[in-house]
């Protein structure tokens, strides 16, 4: 029987899950994270020739990235986003990618922030200002009309950065991200931890640009995992450095 490491098994389960989910953010973020992992992969210092294991690892990353990329381009939304990258106009990009309602909520949230830059308008209250700040170019969209006419429908920017700025101002925005950054303040130089840290930063940025909820357990799990990994690898790396095996990323 062929032995399969549990990490490899979980990786392929995750890849299949991403493709089957149809999640637009999952498609794009997975490809970007794999690129970051590939560029950040550690190698032993002064080793001029890649080992077979290094080559296999990089090929595996490229194969997984290619599979996810092909699967993502079959998604109509992701394909429209790729086509829209040539546009230098936000409104044109929003129209090409069919994301105009969401972008209009971003614009409204930023208008709310401009009017209340210090402490915002309070958690959960930014949506109530949407009608006063909705851009004219978004009015033809049915989702926008629903937000304007149905009292139970709440405009959702699905963007944590905009949400925090509009609802808590610079004060809340600064405190929240100071809390998040504290999880990455590790003195660890372990190359595997650095790869994890870089990938986690990318994952969180995609998360904050596509969702605006504090209730997602994946966010808190990832922050805790990065914090714990950083602390646990400090002593391990110090011991390996004393043996003369030095790594660079």
């Amino acid at each position: 029987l062929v032995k399969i490491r549990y990490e490899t098994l979980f990786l392929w389960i995750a890849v299949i899950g991403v493709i089957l989910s149809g999640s637009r953010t999952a498609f794009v973020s997975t490809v970007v994270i794999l690129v970051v992992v590939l560029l950040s992969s550690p190698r032993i210092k002064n080793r001029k020739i890649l080992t077979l294991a290094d080559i296999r690892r990089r090929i595996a990353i490229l194969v997984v990235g290619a599979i996810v990329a092909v699967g993502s381009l079959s998604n109509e939304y992701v394909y429209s986003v790729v086509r829209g990258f040539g546009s230098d106009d936000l409104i044109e990009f929003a129209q090409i990618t069919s994301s105009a309602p969401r972008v209009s909520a971003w614009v409204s949230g930023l208008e709310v922030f401009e009017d209340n830059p210090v402490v915002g308008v309070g958690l959960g209250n930014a949506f109530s200002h949407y009608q006063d700040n909705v851009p004219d170019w978004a009015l033809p969209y049915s989702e926008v009309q629903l937000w304007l006419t149905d009292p139970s429908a709440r405009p959702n920017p699905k963007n944590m950065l905009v949400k925090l700025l509009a609802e808590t101002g610079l004060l809340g925005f600064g405190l929240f991200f100071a809390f998040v950054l504290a999880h990455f303040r590790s003195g660890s130089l372990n190359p595997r931890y650095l790869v994890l840290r870089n990938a986690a930063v990318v994952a969180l940025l995609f998360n904050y640009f596509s969702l605006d909820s504090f209730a997602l357990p994946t966010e808190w799990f990832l922050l805790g995992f990065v914090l714990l990994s950083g602390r646990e690898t400090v002593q391990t790396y110090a011991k390996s450095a004393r043996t003369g095996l030095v790594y660079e990323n």
Side-chain angles (χ1 to χ4, degrees), residues 88-100:
D88 56 0
D89 183 81
L90 177 62
I91 299 176
E92 181 183 355
F93 179 82
Q95 293 171 339
I96 292 175
T97 59
S98 303
S99 57

Side-chain angles (χ1 to χ4, degrees), residues 131-186:
Q131 188 168 3
D132 299 328
N133 298 299
V134 58
D136 293 338
W137 52 263
L139 293 176
Y141 292 88
S142 58
E143 187 174 358
V144 172
Q145 288 299 319
L146 179 66
W147 289 345
L148 294 174
T149 58
D150 187 349
S152 64
R154 295 191 174 192
N156 185 0
K158 296 183 180 179
N159 187 313
M160 181 67 80
L161 309 180
V162 172
K163 175 185 177 69
L164 287 173
L165 286 172
E167 298 183 354
T168 66
L170 289 174
L171 180 61
F173 183 89
L175 288 174
F176 178 77
F177 281 99
F179 166 76
V180 171
L181 291 175
H183 293 75
F184 295 88
R185 294 184 60 187
S186 170

